[in-house]
Amino acid sequence: MAEGSATPAITRGQVLGVTLGNGLEFYDFLVFSFFAVQIGQCFFPATDPNSSLLLALATFGAGFLTRPLGAFVIGGLGDRVGRRPMMLLSFAMIGLSTLGVAITPSYGAIGIAAPIAVIVFRLVQGFALGGEVGTSTAFLAEAAPAAKRGWYVSMQLASQGASTLLAGLIGVLLASVMTDSALSSWGWRIAMAVGAATAPVGLILRRTLPETLHPVESANRPPRLKSYASVAIFAFLMLLSGTIATYVLNYMTTFAKATLGMSSGVALGATVAVGLGGLIGAALGGLLADAHGRRPWMIWPMLAGTLCVMPSFWLLTSYRTATTLYAVSFVMRALLSVATTSAFIAVTESLPKRVRSGALSVIYAVAISIFGGSTQFVIAWLTMATRNPLAPAWYMFAATIVGLIAMAFATESAPVKTAGRENI
């Protein structure tokens, strides 16, 4: 019998509550990146625009510093007191911190207190999001029927794509009705405030969720690390690869504006393309992984994505048009989302339930903190230092190679391929 068999069936509305809540949290977290140029001008004024951008990206990266701590605390408590209360806690924290960023006065109004306040709020956001991924993913895997486990878990990554899409649409809308100076001065705050305003909705939706971790399970002794060490190593390498690729693609808006010289309206359209590609790719990855197994839908899309990296960026830098920008952003994001979603499903169902929330949170947070927190700063610096617009492509290409190698050694975990064996 599956470990989660005693969990009451959940409704579509409750599944939506988990995925919508997670998507809204990622919207709040990622919108800071999409408006990095404008936020840099507001909180980090400098005579050199590149210095202002680097300071803003460094502040974005500060949000990753507290992810491992949040993963250890919130994710660990998710394995002891339950998934539901920790999902409520993380959502409330990220909503409040996002509101804080939205209402913090500019450097011109309060001086050095402005960037300090923004950094503190980013640290709180990172702490909350560090524990969110493991608890919500564990919940989705444990609440799902075995035959639909891939689809349920894929909603975790699909919601991230949806949040990227929403951020991009709001950005394009704001850019279309505002001048660049208005967008830099206060327009970006509207996008942040939209995310904060959704916090009460997310809390209401999550309050109705059942608990998937039962007292008898939380009282069991945790398994030794060596019993799932190989899964942890695979997860780290896969997340390393996926994180770098994700944040290179999320950087497309800043890259298009700061490096390719495109307008804010055109550049923010890249976020829409990336979000749409992530949403479609993740959902497709979940469906295909349920139908045919996890492993083939890790390897082949990742191989195709790896082979596309350099030609795609060459096209983008050679033909600096909106069409090229959107096509490259969509195709690359869709291919890599199919692959990383299938791999993420395999990791989730291969981890023991007693440590699933904490282990997944910590592994995810460490990989994201090291590589997600540094990627956009690194590629911005590399582009400036080398004066080569292909610098982000080389960094992304190396990352996808690492992910492809890790996936080649992965074992199959899907029930459809393991004679009905349950891992949940």
Side-chain angles (χ1 to χ4, degrees):
M1 180 180 293
E3 290 178 38
S5 59
T7 300
I10 61 172
T11 66
R12 291 181 180 178
Q14 289 172 327
V15 173
L16 177 64
V18 178
T19 56
L20 177 61
N22 182 67
L24 293 176
E25 287 188 295
F26 269 86
Y27 168 88
D28 295 341
F29 198 81
L30 292 173
V31 76
F32 192 103
S33 169
F34 301 148
F35 289 95
V37 173
Q38 292 81 9
I39 292 173
Q41 293 169 356
C42 181
F43 295 113
F44 305 98
T47 54
D48 178 10
N50 288 334
S51 298
S52 180
L53 173 60
L54 287 175
L55 287 169
L57 291 175
T59 302
F60 172 73
F64 292 86
L65 295 177
T66 49
R67 279 204 184 191
L69 180 60
F72 181 78
V73 174
I74 298 177
L77 287 173
D79 285 326
R80 292 193 290 276
V81 303
R83 319 307 194 200
R84 179 176 169 272
M86 293 302 102
M87 286 192 287
L88 288 169
L89 174 63
S90 64
F91 194 87
M93 290 180 67
I94 203 165
L96 290 172
S97 57
T98 300
L99 177 62
V101 174
I103 65 176
T104 298
S106 68
Y107 184 94
I110 61 173
I112 193 64
I116 291 174
V118 170
I119 291 171
V120 169
F121 287 130
R122 288 294 295 170
L123 293 174
V124 174
Q125 281 183 326
F127 181 88
L129 197 51
E132 161 66 20
V133 174
T135 52
S136 61
T137 303
F139 175 88
L140 289 170
E142 292 154 8
K148 295 183 178 179
R149 192 181 301 143
W151 171 248
Y152 275 50
V153 174
S154 74
M155 291 298 98
Q156 167 74 275
L157 300 182
S159 69
Q160 297 178 26
S163 68
T164 306
L165 176 61
L166 177 62
L169 289 172
I170 290 177
V172 169
L173 176 62
L174 292 174
S176 68
V177 298
M178 292 182 175
T179 63
D180 276 0
S181 60
L183 194 63
S184 297
S185 177
W186 58 273
W188 63 268
R189 294 181 187 272
I190 296 176
M192 300 292 292
V194 166
T198 60
V201 177
L203 289 171
I204 291 170
L205 289 170
R206 290 188 171 197
R207 284 184 62 188
T208 65
L209 296 173
E211 182 54 66
T212 60
L213 183 72
H214 308 293
V216 65
E217 294 166 333
S218 61
N220 292 337
R221 191 172 187 176
R224 293 177 179 271
L225 175 61
K226 66 179 181 181
S227 66
Y228 56 95
S230 61
V231 179
I233 293 171
F234 165 65
F236 180 80
L237 294 176
M238 180 273 295
L239 288 168
L240 173 160
S241 174
T243 296
I244 291 176
T246 294
Y247 283 94
V248 169
L249 292 172
N250 285 344
Y251 182 74
M252 280 296 194
T253 292
T254 302
F255 181 74
K257 184 173 175 61
T259 303
L260 302 182
M262 297 182 176
S263 68
S264 294
V266 172
L268 284 165
T271 304
V272 177
V274 169
L276 186 61
L279 175 60
I280 293 173
L284 186 60
L287 290 171
L288 292 171
D290 276 336
H292 307 292
R294 321 311 189 202
R295 197 166 180 272
W297 293 105
M298 297 179 210
I299 296 173
W300 296 113
M302 180 60 80
L303 176 61
T306 300
L307 294 176
C308 285
V309 172
M310 298 309 300
S312 294
F313 272 84
W314 179 83
L315 282 172
L316 182 57
T317 55
S318 299
Y319 303 95
R320 303 184 180 195
T321 66
T323 301
T324 306
L325 175 66
Y326 302 157
V328 166
S329 299
F330 175 83
V331 172
M332 290 296 300
R333 179 69 276 172
L335 283 172
L336 295 174
S337 288
V338 173
T340 54
T341 297
S342 299
F344 192 67
I345 295 164
V347 168
T348 302
E349 63 189 352
S350 297
L351 287 168
K353 183 175 182 179
R354 176 61 181 83
V355 297
R356 182 173 292 132
S357 172
L360 190 58
S361 292
V362 170
I363 296 166
Y364 188 95
V366 171
I368 299 295
S369 295
I370 296 173
F371 300 99
S374 63
T375 291
Q376 296 196 355
F377 183 89
V378 168
I379 60 179
W381 179 83
L382 284 174
T383 302
M384 297 172 196
T386 64
R387 301 182 184 276
N388 183 356
L390 289 178
W394 286 109
Y395 195 63
M396 182 175 173
F397 180 73
T400 57
I401 289 290
V402 171
L404 185 61
I405 293 171
M407 291 174 184
F409 287 94
T411 57
E412 184 58 72
S413 62
V416 71
K417 291 289 188 178
T418 54
R421 174 174 59 84
E422 290 285 351
N423 295 297
I424 299 300

PDB file of all heavy atoms in Angstrom, residues 69-101:
ATOM      1  N   LEU A  69      18.589  28.408   4.721  1.00  0.00           N
ATOM      2  CA  LEU A  69      18.082  28.479   6.087  1.00  0.00           C
ATOM      3  C   LEU A  69      16.574  28.247   6.112  1.00  0.00           C
ATOM      4  O   LEU A  69      16.057  27.504   6.959  1.00  0.00           O
ATOM      5  CB  LEU A  69      18.418  29.843   6.694  1.00  0.00           C
ATOM      6  CG  LEU A  69      17.943  30.073   8.139  1.00  0.00           C
ATOM      7  CD1 LEU A  69      18.566  29.043   9.075  1.00  0.00           C
ATOM      8  CD2 LEU A  69      18.288  31.494   8.580  1.00  0.00           C
ATOM      9  N   GLY A  70      15.858  28.887   5.195  1.00  0.00           N
ATOM     10  CA  GLY A  70      14.420  28.668   5.106  1.00  0.00           C
ATOM     11  C   GLY A  70      14.081  27.238   4.775  1.00  0.00           C
ATOM     12  O   GLY A  70      13.110  26.670   5.290  1.00  0.00           O
ATOM     13  N   ALA A  71      14.895  26.617   3.907  1.00  0.00           N
ATOM     14  CA  ALA A  71      14.678  25.216   3.556  1.00  0.00           C
ATOM     15  C   ALA A  71      14.859  24.317   4.764  1.00  0.00           C
ATOM     16  O   ALA A  71      14.072  23.385   5.003  1.00  0.00           O
ATOM     17  CB  ALA A  71      15.650  24.808   2.446  1.00  0.00           C
ATOM     18  N   PHE A  72      15.902  24.586   5.537  1.00  0.00           N
ATOM     19  CA  PHE A  72      16.187  23.773   6.721  1.00  0.00           C
ATOM     20  C   PHE A  72      15.084  23.927   7.772  1.00  0.00           C
ATOM     21  O   PHE A  72      14.623  22.939   8.344  1.00  0.00           O
ATOM     22  CB  PHE A  72      17.542  24.176   7.304  1.00  0.00           C
ATOM     23  CG  PHE A  72      17.944  23.377   8.511  1.00  0.00           C
ATOM     24  CD1 PHE A  72      18.453  22.098   8.376  1.00  0.00           C
ATOM     25  CD2 PHE A  72      17.799  23.902   9.780  1.00  0.00           C
ATOM     26  CE1 PHE A  72      18.819  21.359   9.487  1.00  0.00           C
ATOM     27  CE2 PHE A  72      18.160  23.179  10.894  1.00  0.00           C
ATOM     28  CZ  PHE A  72      18.670  21.893  10.757  1.00  0.00           C
ATOM     29  N   VAL A  73      14.658  25.168   7.995  1.00  0.00           N
ATOM     30  CA  VAL A  73      13.668  25.428   9.049  1.00  0.00           C
ATOM     31  C   VAL A  73      12.260  25.043   8.592  1.00  0.00           C
ATOM     32  O   VAL A  73      11.596  24.185   9.189  1.00  0.00           O
ATOM     33  CB  VAL A  73      13.695  26.906   9.482  1.00  0.00           C
ATOM     34  CG1 VAL A  73      12.575  27.197  10.475  1.00  0.00           C
ATOM     35  CG2 VAL A  73      15.049  27.247  10.096  1.00  0.00           C
ATOM     36  N   ILE A  74      11.784  25.669   7.515  1.00  0.00           N
ATOM     37  CA  ILE A  74      10.406  25.430   7.069  1.00  0.00           C
ATOM     38  C   ILE A  74      10.251  24.035   6.468  1.00  0.00           C
ATOM     39  O   ILE A  74       9.294  23.319   6.775  1.00  0.00           O
ATOM     40  CB  ILE A  74       9.977  26.510   6.059  1.00  0.00           C
ATOM     41  CG1 ILE A  74      10.013  27.891   6.720  1.00  0.00           C
ATOM     42  CG2 ILE A  74       8.579  26.210   5.520  1.00  0.00           C
ATOM     43  CD1 ILE A  74       9.674  29.040   5.780  1.00  0.00           C
ATOM     44  N   GLY A  75      11.206  23.650   5.606  1.00  0.00           N
ATOM     45  CA  GLY A  75      11.133  22.311   5.021  1.00  0.00           C
ATOM     46  C   GLY A  75      11.244  21.228   6.068  1.00  0.00           C
ATOM     47  O   GLY A  75      10.522  20.214   6.023  1.00  0.00           O
ATOM     48  N   GLY A  76      12.153  21.415   7.038  1.00  0.00           N
ATOM     49  CA  GLY A  76      12.307  20.436   8.106  1.00  0.00           C
ATOM     50  C   GLY A  76      11.061  20.320   8.965  1.00  0.00           C
ATOM     51  O   GLY A  76      10.627  19.216   9.326  1.00  0.00           O
ATOM     52  N   LEU A  77      10.452  21.446   9.286  1.00  0.00           N
ATOM     53  CA  LEU A  77       9.209  21.421  10.059  1.00  0.00           C
ATOM     54  C   LEU A  77       8.076  20.776   9.262  1.00  0.00           C
ATOM     55  O   LEU A  77       7.164  20.166   9.834  1.00  0.00           O
ATOM     56  CB  LEU A  77       8.811  22.837  10.465  1.00  0.00           C
ATOM     57  CG  LEU A  77       9.660  23.469  11.579  1.00  0.00           C
ATOM     58  CD1 LEU A  77       9.283  24.937  11.773  1.00  0.00           C
ATOM     59  CD2 LEU A  77       9.486  22.704  12.891  1.00  0.00           C
ATOM     60  N   GLY A  78       8.161  20.885   7.940  1.00  0.00           N
ATOM     61  CA  GLY A  78       7.163  20.223   7.103  1.00  0.00           C
ATOM     62  C   GLY A  78       7.180  18.713   7.256  1.00  0.00           C
ATOM     63  O   GLY A  78       6.164  18.042   7.036  1.00  0.00           O
ATOM     64  N   ASP A  79       8.338  18.146   7.634  1.00  0.00           N
ATOM     65  CA  ASP A  79       8.449  16.701   7.883  1.00  0.00           C
ATOM     66  C   ASP A  79       8.085  16.324   9.312  1.00  0.00           C
ATOM     67  O   ASP A  79       7.991  15.139   9.634  1.00  0.00           O
ATOM     68  CB  ASP A  79       9.882  16.226   7.595  1.00  0.00           C
ATOM     69  CG  ASP A  79      10.181  16.140   6.108  1.00  0.00           C
ATOM     70  OD1 ASP A  79       9.264  15.806   5.344  1.00  0.00           O
ATOM     71  OD2 ASP A  79      11.336  16.410   5.717  1.00  0.00           O
ATOM     72  N   ARG A  80       7.892  17.331  10.171  1.00  0.00           N
ATOM     73  CA  ARG A  80       7.574  17.034  11.571  1.00  0.00           C
ATOM     74  C   ARG A  80       6.171  17.472  11.962  1.00  0.00           C
ATOM     75  O   ARG A  80       5.439  16.723  12.600  1.00  0.00           O
ATOM     76  CB  ARG A  80       8.618  17.696  12.494  1.00  0.00           C
ATOM     77  CG  ARG A  80      10.001  17.069  12.376  1.00  0.00           C
ATOM     78  CD  ARG A  80      10.913  17.507  13.494  1.00  0.00           C
ATOM     79  NE  ARG A  80      11.306  18.901  13.382  1.00  0.00           N
ATOM     80  CZ  ARG A  80      12.326  19.329  12.621  1.00  0.00           C
ATOM     81  NH1 ARG A  80      13.033  18.467  11.911  1.00  0.00           N
ATOM     82  NH2 ARG A  80      12.640  20.609  12.586  1.00  0.00           N
ATOM     83  N   VAL A  81       5.787  18.690  11.581  1.00  0.00           N
ATOM     84  CA  VAL A  81       4.458  19.168  11.978  1.00  0.00           C
ATOM     85  C   VAL A  81       3.451  19.140  10.836  1.00  0.00           C
ATOM     86  O   VAL A  81       2.258  19.372  11.064  1.00  0.00           O
ATOM     87  CB  VAL A  81       4.543  20.597  12.558  1.00  0.00           C
ATOM     88  CG1 VAL A  81       5.494  20.645  13.726  1.00  0.00           C
ATOM     89  CG2 VAL A  81       4.966  21.603  11.489  1.00  0.00           C
ATOM     90  N   GLY A  82       3.909  18.883   9.617  1.00  0.00           N
ATOM     91  CA  GLY A  82       2.983  18.760   8.499  1.00  0.00           C
ATOM     92  C   GLY A  82       3.262  19.731   7.369  1.00  0.00           C
ATOM     93  O   GLY A  82       3.911  20.759   7.546  1.00  0.00           O
ATOM     94  N   ARG A  83       2.732  19.379   6.186  1.00  0.00           N
ATOM     95  CA  ARG A  83       2.944  20.218   5.002  1.00  0.00           C
ATOM     96  C   ARG A  83       2.093  21.492   5.050  1.00  0.00           C
ATOM     97  O   ARG A  83       2.556  22.581   4.727  1.00  0.00           O
ATOM     98  CB  ARG A  83       2.580  19.438   3.730  1.00  0.00           C
ATOM     99  CG  ARG A  83       2.990  17.982   3.645  1.00  0.00           C
ATOM    100  CD  ARG A  83       4.439  17.699   3.891  1.00  0.00           C
ATOM    101  NE  ARG A  83       4.804  16.334   3.467  1.00  0.00           N
ATOM    102  CZ  ARG A  83       5.863  15.692   3.882  1.00  0.00           C
ATOM    103  NH1 ARG A  83       6.685  16.265   4.760  1.00  0.00           N
ATOM    104  NH2 ARG A  83       6.149  14.478   3.440  1.00  0.00           N
ATOM    105  N   ARG A  84       0.822  21.348   5.442  1.00  0.00           N
ATOM    106  CA  ARG A  84      -0.127  22.453   5.357  1.00  0.00           C
ATOM    107  C   ARG A  84       0.277  23.686   6.173  1.00  0.00           C
ATOM    108  O   ARG A  84       0.283  24.810   5.627  1.00  0.00           O
ATOM    109  CB  ARG A  84      -1.507  21.955   5.792  1.00  0.00           C
ATOM    110  CG  ARG A  84      -2.602  23.015   5.775  1.00  0.00           C
ATOM    111  CD  ARG A  84      -3.942  22.380   6.128  1.00  0.00           C
ATOM    112  NE  ARG A  84      -4.953  23.397   6.372  1.00  0.00           N
ATOM    113  CZ  ARG A  84      -5.171  23.957   7.559  1.00  0.00           C
ATOM    114  NH1 ARG A  84      -4.433  23.589   8.609  1.00  0.00           N
ATOM    115  NH2 ARG A  84      -6.102  24.873   7.703  1.00  0.00           N
ATOM    116  N   PRO A  85       0.626  23.559   7.458  1.00  0.00           N
ATOM    117  CA  PRO A  85       0.970  24.779   8.210  1.00  0.00           C
ATOM    118  C   PRO A  85       2.196  25.498   7.671  1.00  0.00           C
ATOM    119  O   PRO A  85       2.279  26.733   7.717  1.00  0.00           O
ATOM    120  CB  PRO A  85       1.203  24.263   9.637  1.00  0.00           C
ATOM    121  CG  PRO A  85       1.402  22.802   9.515  1.00  0.00           C
ATOM    122  CD  PRO A  85       0.623  22.375   8.334  1.00  0.00           C
ATOM    123  N   MET A  86       3.141  24.745   7.125  1.00  0.00           N
ATOM    124  CA  MET A  86       4.342  25.378   6.586  1.00  0.00           C
ATOM    125  C   MET A  86       4.054  26.094   5.267  1.00  0.00           C
ATOM    126  O   MET A  86       4.658  27.133   4.972  1.00  0.00           O
ATOM    127  CB  MET A  86       5.447  24.334   6.396  1.00  0.00           C
ATOM    128  CG  MET A  86       5.966  23.752   7.701  1.00  0.00           C
ATOM    129  SD  MET A  86       6.612  25.026   8.842  1.00  0.00           S
ATOM    130  CE  MET A  86       5.245  25.184  10.007  1.00  0.00           C
ATOM    131  N   MET A  87       3.116  25.558   4.482  1.00  0.00           N
ATOM    132  CA  MET A  87       2.734  26.253   3.255  1.00  0.00           C
ATOM    133  C   MET A  87       2.032  27.568   3.572  1.00  0.00           C
ATOM    134  O   MET A  87       2.175  28.556   2.854  1.00  0.00           O
ATOM    135  CB  MET A  87       1.846  25.357   2.385  1.00  0.00           C
ATOM    136  CG  MET A  87       2.593  24.237   1.695  1.00  0.00           C
ATOM    137  SD  MET A  87       1.611  23.411   0.407  1.00  0.00           S
ATOM    138  CE  MET A  87       0.443  22.489   1.402  1.00  0.00           C
ATOM    139  N   LEU A  88       1.254  27.596   4.637  1.00  0.00           N
ATOM    140  CA  LEU A  88       0.610  28.830   5.069  1.00  0.00           C
ATOM    141  C   LEU A  88       1.643  29.855   5.553  1.00  0.00           C
ATOM    142  O   LEU A  88       1.572  31.045   5.220  1.00  0.00           O
ATOM    143  CB  LEU A  88      -0.396  28.538   6.189  1.00  0.00           C
ATOM    144  CG  LEU A  88      -1.675  27.810   5.770  1.00  0.00           C
ATOM    145  CD1 LEU A  88      -2.443  27.336   7.004  1.00  0.00           C
ATOM    146  CD2 LEU A  88      -2.551  28.714   4.918  1.00  0.00           C
ATOM    147  N   LEU A  89       2.618  29.384   6.320  1.00  0.00           N
ATOM    148  CA  LEU A  89       3.651  30.282   6.848  1.00  0.00           C
ATOM    149  C   LEU A  89       4.476  30.905   5.734  1.00  0.00           C
ATOM    150  O   LEU A  89       4.690  32.127   5.712  1.00  0.00           O
ATOM    151  CB  LEU A  89       4.568  29.507   7.804  1.00  0.00           C
ATOM    152  CG  LEU A  89       5.785  30.278   8.338  1.00  0.00           C
ATOM    153  CD1 LEU A  89       5.343  31.465   9.174  1.00  0.00           C
ATOM    154  CD2 LEU A  89       6.694  29.354   9.146  1.00  0.00           C
ATOM    155  N   SER A  90       4.942  30.092   4.804  1.00  0.00           N
ATOM    156  CA  SER A  90       5.801  30.618   3.741  1.00  0.00           C
ATOM    157  C   SER A  90       5.052  31.623   2.878  1.00  0.00           C
ATOM    158  O   SER A  90       5.606  32.652   2.472  1.00  0.00           O
ATOM    159  CB  SER A  90       6.343  29.472   2.878  1.00  0.00           C
ATOM    160  OG  SER A  90       5.293  28.793   2.204  1.00  0.00           O
ATOM    161  N   PHE A  91       3.773  31.354   2.618  1.00  0.00           N
ATOM    162  CA  PHE A  91       3.004  32.268   1.779  1.00  0.00           C
ATOM    163  C   PHE A  91       2.820  33.623   2.460  1.00  0.00           C
ATOM    164  O   PHE A  91       2.944  34.678   1.826  1.00  0.00           O
ATOM    165  CB  PHE A  91       1.643  31.662   1.447  1.00  0.00           C
ATOM    166  CG  PHE A  91       0.931  32.382   0.342  1.00  0.00           C
ATOM    167  CD1 PHE A  91       1.147  32.043  -0.978  1.00  0.00           C
ATOM    168  CD2 PHE A  91       0.061  33.425   0.612  1.00  0.00           C
ATOM    169  CE1 PHE A  91       0.515  32.715  -2.005  1.00  0.00           C
ATOM    170  CE2 PHE A  91      -0.581  34.107  -0.405  1.00  0.00           C
ATOM    171  CZ  PHE A  91      -0.356  33.750  -1.718  1.00  0.00           C
ATOM    172  N   ALA A  92       2.513  33.603   3.749  1.00  0.00           N
ATOM    173  CA  ALA A  92       2.313  34.858   4.479  1.00  0.00           C
ATOM    174  C   ALA A  92       3.596  35.685   4.505  1.00  0.00           C
ATOM    175  O   ALA A  92       3.573  36.917   4.312  1.00  0.00           O
ATOM    176  CB  ALA A  92       1.846  34.559   5.902  1.00  0.00           C
ATOM    177  N   MET A  93       4.738  35.037   4.721  1.00  0.00           N
ATOM    178  CA  MET A  93       6.004  35.760   4.811  1.00  0.00           C
ATOM    179  C   MET A  93       6.385  36.420   3.492  1.00  0.00           C
ATOM    180  O   MET A  93       6.835  37.578   3.468  1.00  0.00           O
ATOM    181  CB  MET A  93       7.118  34.803   5.260  1.00  0.00           C
ATOM    182  CG  MET A  93       7.008  34.352   6.694  1.00  0.00           C
ATOM    183  SD  MET A  93       8.353  33.233   7.150  1.00  0.00           S
ATOM    184  CE  MET A  93       9.745  34.340   7.067  1.00  0.00           C
ATOM    185  N   ILE A  94       6.215  35.707   2.398  1.00  0.00           N
ATOM    186  CA  ILE A  94       6.646  36.286   1.123  1.00  0.00           C
ATOM    187  C   ILE A  94       5.698  37.397   0.683  1.00  0.00           C
ATOM    188  O   ILE A  94       6.116  38.374   0.050  1.00  0.00           O
ATOM    189  CB  ILE A  94       6.790  35.202   0.034  1.00  0.00           C
ATOM    190  CG1 ILE A  94       7.742  35.691  -1.059  1.00  0.00           C
ATOM    191  CG2 ILE A  94       5.449  34.807  -0.562  1.00  0.00           C
ATOM    192  CD1 ILE A  94       8.245  34.620  -1.985  1.00  0.00           C
ATOM    193  N   GLY A  95       4.400  37.290   1.062  1.00  0.00           N
ATOM    194  CA  GLY A  95       3.472  38.367   0.747  1.00  0.00           C
ATOM    195  C   GLY A  95       3.831  39.656   1.462  1.00  0.00           C
ATOM    196  O   GLY A  95       3.837  40.745   0.868  1.00  0.00           O
ATOM    197  N   LEU A  96       4.157  39.564   2.748  1.00  0.00           N
ATOM    198  CA  LEU A  96       4.509  40.743   3.529  1.00  0.00           C
ATOM    199  C   LEU A  96       5.821  41.371   3.052  1.00  0.00           C
ATOM    200  O   LEU A  96       5.950  42.591   2.976  1.00  0.00           O
ATOM    201  CB  LEU A  96       4.611  40.372   5.015  1.00  0.00           C
ATOM    202  CG  LEU A  96       3.290  40.036   5.712  1.00  0.00           C
ATOM    203  CD1 LEU A  96       3.544  39.490   7.120  1.00  0.00           C
ATOM    204  CD2 LEU A  96       2.389  41.266   5.771  1.00  0.00           C
ATOM    205  N   SER A  97       6.806  40.524   2.737  1.00  0.00           N
ATOM    206  CA  SER A  97       8.092  41.066   2.298  1.00  0.00           C
ATOM    207  C   SER A  97       7.987  41.721   0.928  1.00  0.00           C
ATOM    208  O   SER A  97       8.654  42.738   0.658  1.00  0.00           O
ATOM    209  CB  SER A  97       9.156  39.957   2.283  1.00  0.00           C
ATOM    210  OG  SER A  97       8.766  38.884   1.460  1.00  0.00           O
ATOM    211  N   THR A  98       7.142  41.180   0.061  1.00  0.00           N
ATOM    212  CA  THR A  98       6.946  41.784  -1.253  1.00  0.00           C
ATOM    213  C   THR A  98       6.274  43.142  -1.127  1.00  0.00           C
ATOM    214  O   THR A  98       6.640  44.106  -1.821  1.00  0.00           O
ATOM    215  CB  THR A  98       6.102  40.860  -2.149  1.00  0.00           C
ATOM    216  OG1 THR A  98       6.782  39.613  -2.287  1.00  0.00           O
ATOM    217  CG2 THR A  98       5.894  41.470  -3.525  1.00  0.00           C
ATOM    218  N   LEU A  99       5.301  43.245  -0.235  1.00  0.00           N
ATOM    219  CA  LEU A  99       4.670  44.533   0.029  1.00  0.00           C
ATOM    220  C   LEU A  99       5.709  45.534   0.539  1.00  0.00           C
ATOM    221  O   LEU A  99       5.687  46.714   0.166  1.00  0.00           O
ATOM    222  CB  LEU A  99       3.551  44.361   1.054  1.00  0.00           C
ATOM    223  CG  LEU A  99       2.831  45.640   1.491  1.00  0.00           C
ATOM    224  CD1 LEU A  99       2.132  46.294   0.307  1.00  0.00           C
ATOM    225  CD2 LEU A  99       1.835  45.342   2.603  1.00  0.00           C
ATOM    226  N   GLY A 100       6.628  45.054   1.366  1.00  0.00           N
ATOM    227  CA  GLY A 100       7.677  45.928   1.883  1.00  0.00           C
ATOM    228  C   GLY A 100       8.521  46.531   0.785  1.00  0.00           C
ATOM    229  O   GLY A 100       8.824  47.741   0.805  1.00  0.00           O
ATOM    230  N   VAL A 101       8.918  45.708  -0.201  1.00  0.00           N
ATOM    231  CA  VAL A 101       9.706  46.225  -1.322  1.00  0.00           C
ATOM    232  C   VAL A 101       8.900  47.257  -2.099  1.00  0.00           C
ATOM    233  O   VAL A 101       9.416  48.305  -2.509  1.00  0.00           O
ATOM    234  CB  VAL A 101      10.149  45.074  -2.249  1.00  0.00           C
ATOM    235  CG1 VAL A 101      10.843  45.630  -3.489  1.00  0.00           C
ATOM    236  CG2 VAL A 101      11.080  44.123  -1.510  1.00  0.00           C
TER     237      VAL A 101
END
